[in-house]
Amino acid sequence: MTLVACSVTVDRPDLVSPAIERAMQAKADGADLVEWRVDLLAMLPDAAGAIARLLRDSPLPTILTVRSEAEGGAFDGSPIEAARVLAEAIAGATPPRFVDVEASLLRDRRASDVVHAALAGVEESQRPSLVTSLHDVGGRPTALWTELERMWSDPACHVAKVAWTARTVRDNLEAFDLLASRQGPTIALCMGEQGVLSRVMGAKFGAFLTFARLDDEEGTAPGQPTVRELVDRYRLKGVTHHTRVYGVVGWPVSHSRGPIVHNAWFGELGLDARYLPLPVGPTWESFKASLAELIDHPMLGLSGASVTLPHKEHLVRFVQERGGALDEASFAIGAANTLIIDPQSRAIRACNTDALAGIESLAEALGRASDDLRGLRVAILGAGGVARALAWACANAGADVVVINRTHARAVELAAAFDGRPGERGPMRVGVGDAASIGCGCFHAFINATSLGMKDGPAPDESPIPDDVALDGVVVMDTVYVPERTPLVQQATSRGARVVTGTGMFVRQAALQCELWTGTRPSMISAQVS
Ligand code: NAP
């Protein structure tokens, strides 16, 4: 089983006590080990006493690490100086359980002799295990496989460790290949936001351990999850060789709520599946190359993905190029947000659950069936991707749709794409309005499909509906879900509208994805979005 090691940085002797408290917190959160990172402490004259206290008072088995600047740490002394600090700790009354020694240090004959002599001097039952490590914050080490072969063939090396900054999500796959080929206990992981996959799913490939941070800490390497995320959200201890992998593909994806919601549902449904952030650069070429490698990796077991900005149109193109299937909504809208991969045949198909979730949420508030909105007039504010999905869904169900957008030409273009085309309830009716038409008093429902009101968006404090528009009894649906109570939601609630929040639509589109992947629709109430 892959162990969870919580990295705790200790820079000065006076920080030893708080560091011990942090290790206690890590233990309570579910960590198996604590890694004492003493890069700066190791350069101080009184380091030995402080390190001895860290080792003696640790509530968890320890890894002692002095990471050099050359490998992304803060220690700027020579290899022999690092070796002496490690040797003193190894020879102390409470030796660490593991000592991390960089492969480059071991290539320095004098430094290597100092470490090995210290290890040889410790009684076998107390002797720390040697983790031989190689890190490259600049990218994949050129001699990655050669370096690992060297570690595996060294009888003194108990655990081989390589870590590098992922340049694309594809780097994770090479980390998995390294783990699958291991000749002894091995840690292979990718740093950075694009390396989260390796930090969690390395467990599927037999990683010896993975590193984590505490909730309120920066972490010692970018992309490092917290102990609680690994233990609770990703249920790391339950990851097996057979665990199926899902994820959210987009750029960026670090703020996606998908991992929170889908992993909670997988747990609730008792499924051996995990959902990870899969950041893929914004171009079509990046999308095509990354998705193809993820799908075709023989052991990863990617079984599906949520696809978000800016790749929803790319997904349709990708599926068409590979001869896969599209659902009616994806085909009509030209964008999809859900990839489904058949576990046996590996055949792919794409669906658009944004459209279905939007129409279900709207219809519920209107007291109508989601496939029959005949006789209703719906104003769609915005002309981007979500507006397009909802305009099609509403018009397809027979509503009279009016698109109103800041850039009028985009509204005209959107309306022209669907107006007059055949729909479930006869020819679709999609027209265009201007800002003044918002106040016509002729709409049964307004849908905000602009980014207005979105946290960190272009206008977080603004609503797309002017204050003097009567909303009493009208359905007002916001697609923005961060925050849940947007300015529009507050305004519409106070003015007597029947309000649908973006959270409702978000959770519903996610629940539909879960159903497409697993055959079971999860309980929406249980989804903790924030
Ligand atoms: P998009 O394609 O970028 O479209 C953005 C739309 O917002 C455009 O119509 C744009 O008008 C308009 N807009 C942006 N800034 C504006 C401003 N300052 N004043 C007036 N209009 C402005 O984005 P999208 O993918 O459609 O997403 C739209 C919203 O939907 C996002 O806020 C997102 O949070 C939300 N969303 C929700 C869900 C859910 O499940 N609840 C799912 C996906 C997306 P122009 O054409 O004039 O630029």
Side-chain angles (χ1 to χ4, degrees), residues 309 312 354 382-387 405-407 410 448-452 454 458-459 462 478-481 502-503 505-507 509:
L309 292 180
K312 291 184 183 185
D354 284 335
V386 168
N405 190 46
R406 174 180 64 178
T407 308
R410 285 187 81 193
N448 175 33
T450 73
S451 320
L452 293 182
M454 186 172 78
E462 285 183 33
D478 207 338
T479 65
V480 174
Y481 64 97
T503 307
M505 176 178 154
F506 172 78
V507 175
Q509 63 79 28

Side-chain angles (χ1 to χ4, degrees), residues 42-43 66 75-87 105 110-111:
M43 293 191 289
V66 177
F75 181 79
D76 74 351
S78 63
I80 189 73
E81 286 167 330
R84 285 191 187 121
V85 172
L86 294 172
L105 184 153
R110 275 199 315 149

Side-chain angles (χ1 to χ4, degrees), residues 282-447:
T283 65
W284 156 246
E285 293 303 336
S286 302
F287 181 80
K288 182 178 176 175
S290 298
L291 203 57
E293 279 199 34
L294 288 166
I295 292 173
D296 296 337
H297 190 273
M299 291 170 291
L300 179 63
L302 186 76
S303 303
S306 310
V307 175
T308 185
L309 292 180
H311 293 309
K312 291 184 183 185
E313 288 168 13
H314 293 158
L315 177 59
V316 166
R317 181 172 167 187
F318 181 86
V319 169
Q320 284 176 321
E321 282 191 7
R322 282 178 66 123
L326 296 175
D327 75 344
E328 189 195 353
S330 308
F331 185 75
I333 297 161
N337 72 333
T338 311
L339 171 70
I340 303 124
I341 305 164
D342 186 276
Q344 271 78 46
S345 68
R346 307 300 292 161
I348 60 171
R349 74 194 162 98
C351 296
N352 191 316
T353 67
D354 284 335
L356 194 50
I359 196 78
E360 280 188 5
S361 304
L362 182 72
E364 194 174 86
L366 287 162
R368 298 284 291 266
S370 60
D371 62 351
D372 189 358
L373 299 187
R374 283 174 298 179
L376 297 179
R377 219 171 141 77
V378 179
I380 298 203
L381 312 176
V386 168
R388 194 176 173 85
L390 287 166
W392 174 82
C394 293
N396 190 48
D400 221 331
V401 173
V402 176
V403 181
I404 301 162
N405 190 46
R406 174 180 64 178
T407 308
H408 189 70
R410 285 187 81 193
V412 171
E413 200 181 312
L414 196 169
F418 299 130
D419 191 44
R421 300 270 166 93
E424 289 289 317
R425 302 285 173 183
M428 293 194 271
R429 287 185 307 279
V430 185
V432 181
D434 56 19
S437 55
I438 294 178
C440 68
C442 58
F443 292 113
H444 299 93
F446 289 97
I447 300 175

Side-chain angles (χ1 to χ4, degrees), residues 11-359:
D11 292 343
R12 300 190 313 266
D14 61 301
L15 297 176
V16 167
S17 296
I20 297 290
E21 278 171 33
R22 303 191 70 67
M24 286 175 177
Q25 182 59 54
K27 185 178 182 183
D29 288 352
D32 304 297
L33 297 161
V34 61
E35 180 195 39
W36 295 126
R37 278 286 299 266
V38 294
D39 314 359
L40 289 175
L41 178 62
M43 293 191 289
L44 301 178
D46 46 356
I51 292 172
R53 275 191 291 138
L54 285 172
L55 298 173
R56 185 194 66 199
D57 296 341
S58 176
L60 288 167
T62 55
I63 307 172
L64 184 65
T65 302
V66 177
R67 181 73 60 241
S68 68
E69 278 186 340
E71 301 213 12
F75 181 79
D76 74 351
S78 63
I80 189 73
E81 286 167 330
R84 285 191 187 121
V85 172
L86 294 172
E88 198 159 353
I90 293 166
T94 317
R97 174 72 189 79
F98 296 92
V99 58
D100 178 309
V101 183
E102 291 169 2
S104 58
L105 184 153
L106 293 173
R107 275 197 287 275
D108 178 310
R109 174 60 63 86
R110 275 199 315 149
S112 172
D113 287 350
V114 166
V115 171
H116 284 304
L119 288 169
V122 182
E123 189 197 322
E124 205 172 335
S125 64
Q126 296 283 303
R127 191 175 298 154
S129 297
L130 182 64
V131 179
T132 308
S133 67
L134 169 71
H135 307 78
D136 196 331
V137 289
R140 181 194 181 280
T142 316
L144 183 57
W145 285 83
T146 319
E147 289 280 0
L148 257 182
E149 296 281 355
R150 199 176 289 150
M151 293 177 197
W152 285 328
S153 61
D154 175 4
C157 167
H158 296 103
V159 181
K161 177 189 176 191
V162 287
W164 73 96
T165 301
R167 298 148 304 172
T168 81
V169 76
R170 284 174 274 160
D171 282 72
N172 295 274
L173 301 177
E174 189 169 18
F176 298 151
D177 294 341
L178 290 166
L179 289 170
S181 313
R182 70 188 181 280
Q183 292 161 32
T186 302
I187 304 163
L189 49 85
C190 295
M191 296 181 278
E193 297 220 337
Q194 299 182 76
V196 178
L197 179 65
S198 69
R199 292 181 179 278
V200 179
M201 293 317 296
K204 174 169 175 155
F205 297 87
F208 179 71
L209 66 76
T210 187
F211 293 91
R213 63 188 166 90
L214 280 173
D215 288 357
D216 56 349
E217 275 207 345
E218 287 269 301
T220 50
Q224 212 172 64
T226 67
V227 176
R228 290 211 320 207
E229 283 168 351
L230 284 178
V231 173
D232 298 337
R233 178 181 304 170
Y234 294 115
R235 294 179 289 129
L236 189 95
K237 301 287 175 187
V239 170
T240 68
H241 187 59
H242 303 288
T243 300
R244 284 195 280 162
V245 179
Y246 297 84
V248 51
V249 176
W251 189 266
V253 290
S254 55
H255 296 105
S256 168
R257 306 290 203 270
I260 302 172
V261 170
H262 284 292
N263 283 310
W265 281 333
F266 289 163
E268 197 175 287
L269 297 172
L271 297 173
D272 186 10
R274 302 293 184 278
Y275 183 103
L276 278 302
L278 302 172
V280 170
T283 65
W284 156 246
E285 293 303 336
S286 302
F287 181 80
K288 182 178 176 175
S290 298
L291 203 57
E293 279 199 34
L294 288 166
I295 292 173
D296 296 337
H297 190 273
M299 291 170 291
L300 179 63
L302 186 76
S303 303
S306 310
V307 175
T308 185
L309 292 180
H311 293 309
K312 291 184 183 185
E313 288 168 13
H314 293 158
L315 177 59
V316 166
R317 181 172 167 187
F318 181 86
V319 169
Q320 284 176 321
E321 282 191 7
R322 282 178 66 123
L326 296 175
D327 75 344
E328 189 195 353
S330 308
F331 185 75
I333 297 161
N337 72 333
T338 311
L339 171 70
I340 303 124
I341 305 164
D342 186 276
Q344 271 78 46
S345 68
R346 307 300 292 161
I348 60 171
R349 74 194 162 98
C351 296
N352 191 316
T353 67
D354 284 335
L356 194 50
I359 196 78

